Amino acid sequence: MGQGLWRVARNQQLQQEGYSEQGYLSREQTRRMAASSISNGSHRKQVQGGIDIYHLLKARKSKEQEGFINLEMLPPELSFTILSYLNATDLCLASCVWQDLANDELLWQGLCKSTWGHCSIYNKNPPIGFSFRKLYMQLDEGSLTFNANPDEGVNYFMSKGILDDSPKEIAKFIFCTRTLNWKKLRIYLDERRDVLDDLVTLHNFRNQFLPNALREFFRHIHAPEERGEYLETLITKFSHRFCACNPDLMRELGLSPDAVYVLCYSLILLSIDLTSPHVKNKMSKREFIRNTRRAAQNISEDFVGHLYDNIYLIGHVAA
């Protein structure tokens, strides 16, 4: 009886405070609705923001500026500058979108001359129907042919009028081109000594230290893997060219082409000795100076010592 009266009194109190079971549910529903309202409000703001972005994209699309910038809308100078950074493959792809711009002759001329620095056809009046894009394809085809068969490659260039049948023109083409396989090029130069002579004269070794000049020489004309007549020919031609480029230095040091030849051979042997993992007892600086001055007595000890230091610090001259 007392417990029943207490429960009735407690329910009345809860009803007055609004925390009855029904009242509690209504309050909870009200709170959820308010939270839902806030969430919907923020969602509407997001939707509103999305609508703004949509309008912006739509505006860009209406101006034909969606995605990558339309190069045709830019000044021609700026468009050509952008396209000039592309290689041949990308430029061909760009021509599918911007045909007039990507097929421009100046762009393809730049690609040709940056890859093949010298061609006889550059200095001639272009024939009817000539285009640098077509020339690029022919130069690429000829280079691939050369890397398979050097004689056929050179004949291809001549048949297309790209190169004149002249050792000097072929030498200039080889000197200014970096797409030719060095192994095939070595075979070709070994057979065409007339081209080799003109290729050597294209090098300028003025005011260069002997080991550095020899590295540059072998970077263009690769040394054979084994000693032999061809290596001797290369060193002989280099020695004469180095002396011709540095007459004052040769007089000052008292060097002749024969002395430079001896030094070059000594540098090659020293390079092998210092860089080969199979040589355990490396040649010392004192030994190199002694051996070199035996072969070339007029050379100063300090100069030979500087040669040793260069190989020791920088590395092989024919790597």
Side-chain angles (χ1 to χ4, degrees), residues 33 40 47 62 77 108 187 239 255 258 293 308 315-316 319:
M33 290 175 64
N40 290 336
V47 171
S62 64
E77 297 82 1
W108 287 99
I187 295 173
S239 301
L255 296 178
D258 291 338
R293 295 195 69 194
Y308 182 94
H316 208 302

Side-chain angles (χ1 to χ4, degrees), residues 147 180-187 220 222-223 225:
N147 294 337
L180 304 179
N181 182 276
W182 64 271
K183 291 184 179 180
K184 298 294 184 180
L185 182 58
R186 186 173 62 193
I187 295 173
H220 286 92
H222 292 269
E225 298 175 355

Side-chain angles (χ1 to χ4, degrees), residues 290-315:
R290 183 179 66 248
N291 296 337
T292 303
R293 295 195 69 194
R294 282 178 184 173
Q297 299 178 358
N298 295 331
I299 304 174
S300 68
E301 182 176 339
D302 291 339
F303 181 75
V304 179
H306 291 320
L307 296 178
Y308 182 94
D309 294 337
N310 183 280
I311 303 300
Y312 184 83
L313 295 174
I314 299 178

Side-chain angles (χ1 to χ4, degrees), residues 158 163-171 192 194-195 198:
M158 293 179 181
L163 279 181
D164 292 340
D165 189 4
S166 164
K168 189 173 183 179
E169 285 297 303
I170 298 174
R192 292 291 305 269
D194 54 344
V195 177
D198 288 317

Side-chain angles (χ1 to χ4, degrees), residues 24-142:
Y24 177 78
L25 290 175
S26 342
R27 284 288 183 89
E28 185 66 21
Q29 290 173 355
T30 303
R31 189 165 61 85
R32 289 179 181 177
M33 290 175 64
S36 177
S37 177
I38 294 173
S39 176
N40 290 336
S42 65
H43 178 68
R44 280 194 298 270
K45 290 181 180 178
Q46 292 177 1
V47 171
Q48 183 64 34
I51 292 174
D52 293 340
I53 294 174
Y54 173 76
H55 283 308
L56 289 175
L57 293 176
K58 188 175 181 180
R60 289 187 62 187
K61 186 176 181 181
S62 64
K63 296 179 181 179
E64 297 182 353
Q65 295 179 350
E66 184 177 8
F68 191 81
I69 298 175
N70 189 351
L71 297 182
E72 293 179 348
M73 304 293 292
L74 300 176
E77 297 82 1
L78 182 57
S79 300
F80 290 139
T81 302
I82 295 173
L83 292 175
S84 65
Y85 288 96
L86 301 181
N87 57 30
T89 303
D90 293 336
L91 195 57
C92 287
L93 294 174
S95 65
C96 299
V97 181
W98 305 289
Q99 186 173 3
D100 293 337
L101 290 174
N103 287 331
D104 187 82
E105 281 292 278
L106 289 177
L107 292 175
W108 287 99
Q109 180 181 358
L111 280 176
C112 289
K113 293 188 175 182
S114 63
T115 308
W116 299 273
H118 176 81
C119 293
S120 303
I121 196 172
Y122 293 160
N123 303 319
K124 298 179 180 178
N125 293 326
I128 300 175
F130 172 84
S131 73
F132 276 99
R133 178 171 180 171
K134 181 181 178 181
L135 177 61
Y136 184 96
M137 304 305 174
Q138 292 175 342
L139 286 168
D140 188 55
E141 178 69 22

